[in-house]
Every structure is written in C-alpha cells, then in structure tokens.
Amino acid sequence: MDFKITPIKPAEVRELLKLIRELAKFEKLEHEMKATPASLRRALFGPRAVAGALLARSGGRPVGYALYFSTFSSFTGRQGVWLDDLYVCPEFRGHGIGRALIEAVARVAAKRKCGRFEWIALDWNQRALDFYKSLGAKTLDEWVLIRMAGPGLRKLAARKRRPKR
Amino acid sequence: MDFKITPIKPAEVRELLKLIRELAKFEKLEHEMKATPASLRRALFGPRAVAGALLARSGGRPVGYALYFSTFSSFTGRQGVWLDDLYVCPEFRGHGIGRALIEAVARVAAKRKCGRFEWIALDWNQRALDFYKSLGAKTLDEWVLIRMAGPGLRKLAARKRRPKR
C-alpha cells in the first residue's frame, strides 16, 4: 500500500480532528474529547505553538497521524519528545503506516538532539504494546501516571497557604 | 517551620542542580544524571526556555524544588502542566513544603488555563503516592509509560523507509 507522511498544514486541521475523534472513540475516552479546529490550529500553528503533527495519507485520504510536543528532563538536562497520539485507521493497519509515523517523530527527536522519546499506552491495548516492543521501546513498569484535572485542579490551585510559625 | 517559595533566578541554578542530584540519588537514578548548570540555565532562562522551576528556602537554605514544563492534549485541545520533579530535603519533610510547592505549580497551571496537571511517581515510593492521593490526584493505573532513549532512539530515527509497491 502506498502512503505519504507529511507535517500537517493549517488547511488539514479539520481532517486531523476527525482522526483524533476516531482515536478517542477507540480508547473509550470520548468524554475527554473537547478539542476544536481553533484550539488545534492555535496549538500547532499559533505564535506560541506547543505541538507538532504528522499526517499519513493513502490515495489522498487521511489514514493516520502522530501528534507530539517537547518535554524536558532535569536529570538528562535535555529536551525530549512526547508522543501524545499515534493513530492509524483500522482498515489501513498492517501496512507499516504506524511504524513510518513513529520513525518520523523519532527523526524529529533526533534532529532536536533529544535525550528521550516517550509516550503512554493503555495496558489493554496488547497490539500497540507488542508493536512498541518490536521497535525496541522499553516499558517503564515501576512508574505510575498521576493526574489532576477539572475541579480538583482548580481547588488545589485556590488553596491558601496557612502561615506557619 | 518558616519557608519561602519563589520562581528560580539565574543565580540559583547551581543550588537547584545540587537538589536535582539529591533527588536522582533518592530515586536510584544517578546514572541518568547528566544535567549541567549550562543545560539547566538554557532550559529555564534561554531564548527558547522550555521549563520553569520554583525553589523553596528555609532560613536562607534551599530545601526543595519543583520543576515543570508545558504539555498538550489533542483530546482536550488544551495545554497542560507536567511536574517533572518535586523534591524536599529529607530533614525538611513533614512541614508542608512539598504541598506548598505543588500548590504553587497548580497555580501556574490554573493561570495558564491548563486542562491537566500531571506527573509520574515510582510505585515503591508509598509516601509520595499517599501524599498525592491526599491532594485529590488520581492514579491512572491503566496507562503504561514507554520510553526510547540513547542508541535505540538513534537507530529508530535512522531507519530508512522501504518503499512499498
């Protein structure tokens, strides 16, 4: 199967959003899906762009994407790349598109002299875990992901420090 | 115990690095410790600064720090804050310094209208896990952290795509 991977252009944001929605559905996380064309455009192309994305096309049709942003590690003292999403439409899997996307993001990381290329995967997505292992990626089992969001985050931010004497 | 938390200043980078080294030792990750005053200065104060840090002092002495950077979520369409490190010197624990540091980073996240405030913790660091739980943070147990670094990352980036017909 023939396919092409290119950095996303502003005119392709709506196509990207459609793929993001498909991924959210697959991950059973549709309730988290709040992104809009405007918020994506700002993140990817705004004056303070924070993310990059690559789009895979086959026969002109968008069939997959990778979205990433920069991280920093105080231990390595270097920037890293975090792969927020990697997605290939189900009917286009098994043709090396996912591998080509992840290799393209790895090239971004190498070009930026990044020390690490990281992401998270759902523990029930065995196909993805096997694929990442086949790339030589390491699963860091002793680390636990922790998150604050919504009202909990606002509450923490609003806490007043009690002066101690 | 009296303490003060302030955004780090360029003149404090060496003090920060000393605390980062202490954390690396505590986490049994000293082998990852490669940061230098120059790499930290670049990340925190360079023209393309990627990280922020807060320093806690008690009686003038640096006793803890928090280091963070921005993330992005394609699902929420919003930026987030990632807490790379949170550290309080052992002899200064139990006085609310860690809580004050994490609340200060949460205020940064709230100010930036971030959707998420995230970090990772070692699964054997029960004291830290209990502390995060007490803040109202959620442990996302179904997510697995995956990493490529060093030669593996360079190899992935160097792979040539085989044209498929």
Side-chain angles (χ1 to χ4, degrees):
Chain A
M1 182 182 297
D2 215 25
F3 62 89
K4 214 171 83 172
I5 290 171
T6 50
I8 192 167
K9 297 181 219 30
E12 297 173 318
V13 161
R14 276 174 197 276
E15 288 174 308
L16 173 64
L17 188 57
K18 202 172 156 265
L19 294 175
I20 295 174
R21 283 207 187 98
E22 281 184 31
L23 174 59
K25 193 173 173 183
F26 172 76
E27 289 188 333
K28 308 182 204 316
L29 293 171
E30 286 167 288
H31 55 280
E32 291 186 2
M33 192 63 209
K34 304 266 161 59
T36 62
S39 66
L40 284 180
R41 209 167 285 128
R42 204 163 39 236
L44 294 164
F45 304 106
R48 281 186 294 177
V50 290
L54 300 167
L55 203 60
R57 287 186 182 273
S58 182
R61 182 184 153 178
V63 297
Y65 77 98
L67 190 143
Y68 57 90
F69 57 79
S70 287
T71 62
F72 178 72
S73 158
S74 66
F75 289 0
T76 66
R78 291 160 74 182
Q79 282 195 59
V81 164
W82 185 278
L83 183 67
D84 188 44
D85 294 339
L86 180 73
Y87 181 68
V88 176
C89 298
E91 63 274 37
F92 288 87
R93 291 180 195 167
H95 299 284
I97 301 177
R99 179 179 280 267
L101 279 166
I102 212 165
E103 285 171 9
V105 181
R107 281 194 291 275
V108 171
K111 208 173 154 185
R112 294 182 182 173
K113 313 242 179 269
C114 286
R116 293 175 180 170
F117 178 26
E118 294 167 299
W119 60 94
I120 49 174
L122 286 159
D123 61 3
W124 49 259
N125 193 355
Q126 199 54 50
R127 184 170 171 159
L129 294 171
D130 291 344
F131 167 56
Y132 299 144
K133 203 175 166 183
S134 78
L135 299 174
K138 280 197 181 118
T139 301
L140 303 188
D141 294 314
E142 64 172 356
W143 289 98
V144 182
L145 178 65
I146 295 170
R147 182 183 293 168
M148 302 208 66
L153 173 54
R154 284 192 294 275
K155 202 173 143 194
L156 187 70
R159 275 177 61 107
K160 291 277 172 281
R161 199 178 133 200
R162 280 164 298 206
K164 294 200 174 192
R165 285 166 214 283
Chain B
M1 184 182 297
D2 214 24
F3 61 89
K4 213 172 82 172
I5 290 171
T6 49
I8 192 167
K9 298 182 218 28
E12 295 172 319
V13 161
R14 276 175 197 276
E15 288 173 308
L16 173 64
L17 188 57
K18 200 171 157 266
L19 294 175
I20 295 174
R21 282 207 187 99
E22 280 183 31
L23 174 59
K25 191 172 172 182
F26 172 76
E27 290 189 332
K28 307 183 207 312
L29 293 171
E30 287 168 287
H31 55 282
E32 290 186 2
M33 194 60 209
K34 304 266 160 60
T36 62
S39 66
L40 284 180
R41 210 167 283 126
R42 202 162 40 235
L44 294 164
F45 305 106
R48 284 184 294 178
V50 290
L54 300 167
L55 203 61
R57 286 185 183 275
S58 182
R61 181 184 154 178
V63 297
Y65 77 100
L67 190 142
Y68 57 90
F69 57 79
S70 287
T71 62
F72 177 73
S73 158
S74 66
F75 290 179
T76 66
R78 291 161 73 182
Q79 282 195 60
V81 163
W82 185 277
L83 183 68
D84 189 45
D85 294 340
L86 180 73
Y87 181 69
V88 176
C89 298
E91 61 275 37
F92 289 86
R93 292 181 193 164
H95 299 283
I97 301 177
R99 180 179 281 266
L101 279 166
I102 211 165
E103 285 171 8
V105 181
R107 281 194 290 275
V108 172
K111 209 175 155 184
R112 293 182 183 174
K113 313 241 178 270
C114 286
R116 293 175 180 170
F117 178 25
E118 295 166 299
W119 61 93
I120 50 175
L122 286 159
D123 62 3
W124 50 259
N125 193 353
Q126 198 56 48
R127 184 171 172 160
L129 294 171
D130 291 344
F131 167 56
Y132 298 144
K133 203 174 166 184
S134 78
L135 300 174
K138 279 195 182 119
T139 300
L140 303 189
D141 293 314
E142 63 173 355
W143 289 98
V144 182
L145 178 65
I146 295 170
R147 181 182 293 168
M148 302 207 67
L153 174 54
R154 282 193 294 275
K155 202 173 143 193
L156 187 71
R159 273 178 62 107
K160 289 276 173 280
R161 196 179 134 200
R162 280 162 299 204
K164 294 200 174 191
R165 286 168 214 282

